[in-house]
Amino acid sequence: MSLTGAAFLLAGVAGVLPGPAAAALAVAGGFALACVRLAWLAGAATAPGHPVSPGRPAPIAHPTPTGHPAPNGDPAPNGHRASTGRPAPTGEVPDPAGTQGATALGLRTGRRARRAALSRRVAAILDSAVLVAGLTVAVLPLSDAAHRLPVALAGLCLTGALHVTALLRLPGRSRLSGPELVRRTVDVLALGVSLVFAGWMLLPGGPVPAVAGVVAAGGAVVLAVLAVAAVAERRRRPGAARCHAGAALTLGGLTLLVVLLAYGAPDRALPLVAAPLVAGALLTAAGARRTSGGERPGRDVAPAAWPRLTAPAGIAALAAGIHLGTAGEFSTAAMALGLAVIPPIMMGELLAAADQRRRVQRLAAREAWLRRRLGPDARAAEPVPLTRAELVRAMAERSGGALLVVDLHGVGGAVPEGPVLTEAARRLRAGSGTHDLVARLGDTEYAVLTDAGPVLAYALGLRLLAALAEPYPRPGGVARLGVSVGLAETGGDPEDVLRQADLARRRAVQLGRDRVEWYDAYLEEQLVRRLDLERELPGAVARGELDLVYQPVVALADRMPVGTEALLRWRSPALGTVLPAELLPVAADLDLTGEIGRWVLDRACRQLAAWSEGGRELWMAVNVTPRELAAPDFVARTATALAAYDVVPERLVVEVAEPVVGGELSTVVARLAGLRSIGVRIALDDFRAEHASLAQLRRLPIDLLKVGPHLVGPGGDGQRPLIDVVANLADRLGVELVVEELESEGQVAGARRAGCRYGQGFALARPATAERVEAWFEEYPSTAR
């Protein structure tokens, strides 16, 4: 419910607004939004089986070999490219396979079209149900007190009929088996009796109006049916589950409205129905949107013990406690009704135990079949995916070993296809040991339970990684998968072991994928740290948590300062000071690099302008990533920042790290050339002086070359130091050398002897705040370079 709706509700309860008017205003916004969404779903011209969300263009149909557009923009069947749709030359015999493919495609298209039409009809019925419920509350202020109860009763009946009609027609509904039907009936009976008992206990004392009694009892049964259906469908058909839950809340709100009116409750009590009504309408709209994609029945899951068993007992106990606190005693009828809750709860317990027994027996039989009937080659040909629940039970029965969680990723963000996943499952089964169990945890996530110790389990992970990373043949080429494997030792609580293995898998993803990671306490700390960074970093710029420190660059001949390098720091109130090495990878994953880079450039230019006002002709170096350089407006944005603070462009130095330039060389060269065209100088950082680096150096438009102190040391076997080679090349290219990370006087002296002009490092000056660096500048008579 929106803040406005909540305000109307409170105003009605407090008596500031008339109760019926407050109720109508409180539900108006939510019901209008739900009706608009449902009306859009009911009237949208969607492609078969693929709803088009608001703001998304409809998919483009491509021509197929028959000359007709293929649905949903899919290519032609069997993986072939769509042709131009020309008819076959005269005298040629049509391809039977192509005819069969076209026929199959037509059948699939027809099914999708029928499913889409059904989804639109269901959305229209649900829209009518929500509209009727909203109008029922909306007309209350316009009706006199004598007519409000008939209006509410009529609205409840019509809304209920529309909801039932729509829910029975939801796509993906499957027929219940005998045991499922019995279990569902027992669940409804237990919850229904407990709700009837709760209603009996909570109704005011004295005579019960006939309308209130009938509606309360009938509403309790309907709510029980809808609630049990929502819980049963929550994993298999989440959209349908939301529709059931939305219907339960909507009808519950209207039932409460009828009961209040039947008892002649004061007007200030009527706004209480607003919350369940609005929540029900929005949940119904969300469920209809989900089902519009054509939900299909998924695989069966173990029925949850809660809330099937504990909810009825909890509801009955709570209602009894409230009644005992207010009335002080139970009537004979109330006690009989309360005792009637016990038999269906006990029956539910017995059915749950029987379900558990059957699942354990199936797991044991399947494992025995794997061990006795199949050899390694046969098992590899036909993999068998256990369920998560079966995997947990299998871990509970084993005292040692390891659990591997394997996650498959499509390269380049693509979703792995069905045939590729089938082949991956076969490879996974083939690469596992004779006594290993394989389970499927999700669409692209598997688990392998092995008795092997840590070393052998890690070796198994490496084998599976290598097998799964091999190319997958498919029509028109090959597919590749990225693989991340997490390992954890078993022996503890199965759910904890599964969580630990999954944490290790997530760490493998963070570290670049295609790797195996063991779980340990340190790994969990690192992962938690990463999650904390991902949670806190968004908004850090707006909250003023970023900061810059500055490390001077000096002339080695006289140690006079010539410039500074701006270094980013994140002063997080929750996490402390975070350095760029930890901050920037998170920023890249969250797509915050551009926002942070703009802040750094603006702050550095402002500080450079402040120092320039004192007559100091220093340069300011700013580190930029290739992703920032790739932005089309980077050069223009830099020029704007320089103009905003009246900074001479030659005083700004843009640094880019050499190791990351290779993959983006053409883009980087173009952007750096654009920066030089406006006068900005360029520095290449972390120069490695390898053969490829030396060859690449000629292509890059740079002014400064930053090298590490390792190049300054003496050459091996009497050869001259590598810095001499680099210095000679830099001199021929007109590039100045800066030796960074100088941490001792010996390194400073070596850099000076090698002919390097500038130096940077702890031995010369440490990074510090702008105020401290400015105080350090005061020790030198002139800083003009």
Side-chain angles (χ1 to χ4, degrees), residues 310-576:
T310 55
I315 292 172
L318 180 63
I322 295 176
H323 180 81
L324 189 62
T326 55
E329 60 180 0
F330 294 100
S331 65
T332 303
M335 288 191 291
L337 189 57
L339 292 174
V341 179
I342 299 176
I345 292 179
M346 293 182 62
M347 180 62 70
E349 289 278 6
L350 294 175
L351 290 175
D355 288 340
Q356 177 78 357
R357 209 163 36 245
R358 282 194 297 269
R359 288 178 179 274
V360 171
Q361 290 171 352
R362 283 201 301 268
L363 176 61
R366 185 176 297 182
E367 186 169 359
W369 180 74
L370 284 174
R371 291 183 175 180
R372 299 173 195 176
R373 300 279 183 181
L374 298 178
D377 294 337
R379 284 185 17 246
E382 187 175 350
V384 180
L386 303 177
T387 65
R388 179 189 175 101
E390 291 170 335
L391 176 69
V392 169
R393 283 190 286 272
M395 280 194 286
E397 296 168 1
R398 298 191 179 193
S399 57
L403 178 69
L404 296 81
V405 172
V406 182
D407 194 15
L408 306 177
H409 329 273
V411 176
V415 178
E417 302 171 349
V420 173
L421 289 176
T422 301
E423 172 61 16
R426 189 200 66 79
R427 295 183 188 182
L428 192 69
R429 181 66 265 180
S432 303
T434 305
H435 299 292
D436 297 339
L437 294 179
V438 178
R440 187 167 188 175
L441 304 179
D443 291 340
T444 60
E445 190 170 299
Y446 298 84
V448 179
L449 181 62
T450 178
D451 291 328
V455 176
L456 295 179
Y458 188 79
L460 172 62
L462 292 177
R463 289 200 308 272
L464 294 177
L465 179 66
L468 294 169
E470 286 291 322
Y472 295 80
R474 64 176 182 178
V478 296
R480 294 183 181 274
L481 294 181
V483 186
S484 303
V485 181
L487 272 169
E489 292 188 68
T490 58
D493 179 81
E495 290 292 348
D496 284 343
V497 174
L498 198 55
R499 180 187 64 84
Q500 292 168 358
D502 191 60
L503 287 176
R505 175 200 62 80
R506 294 174 66 181
R507 185 60 175 166
V509 173
Q510 286 183 354
L511 295 177
R513 299 177 175 174
D514 293 326
R515 60 190 296 137
V516 181
E517 285 293 320
W518 264 106
Y519 169 82
D520 57 29
Y522 176 72
L523 179 146
E524 185 162 7
E525 290 177 5
Q526 292 296 102
L527 185 61
V528 171
R529 170 75 172 178
R530 173 66 180 239
L531 294 175
D532 289 341
L533 291 170
E534 292 177 351
R535 183 186 68 250
E536 297 291 335
L537 184 56
V541 174
R543 296 191 299 268
E545 296 174 3
L546 297 188
D547 189 19
L548 290 181
V549 296
Y550 305 90
Q551 185 172 30
V553 180
V554 303
L556 293 177
D558 54 11
R559 300 211 176 186
M560 292 288 291
V562 296
T564 61
E565 179 182 1
L567 302 173
L568 179 63
R569 300 290 186 268
W570 176 22
R571 316 290 189 187
S572 169
L575 305 174

Side-chain angles (χ1 to χ4, degrees), residues 742-761:
L742 296 173
E743 299 183 358
S744 68
E745 286 298 330
Q747 290 177 335
V748 174
R752 189 170 57 248
R753 283 194 304 268
C756 298
R757 187 173 182 184
Y758 303 120
Q760 181 180 1

Side-chain angles (χ1 to χ4, degrees), residues 651-689:
R651 295 298 174 186
L652 178 66
V653 176
V654 169
E655 285 192 16
V656 59
E658 191 264 338
V660 298
V661 166
E664 308 279 346
L665 183 59
S666 58
T667 302
V668 169
V669 169
R671 292 293 184 272
L672 296 184
L675 290 170
R676 289 191 81 188
S677 68
I678 63 173
V680 174
R681 292 195 289 172
I682 310 298
L684 185 64
D685 196 9
D686 296 333
F687 185 69
R688 296 173 295 181

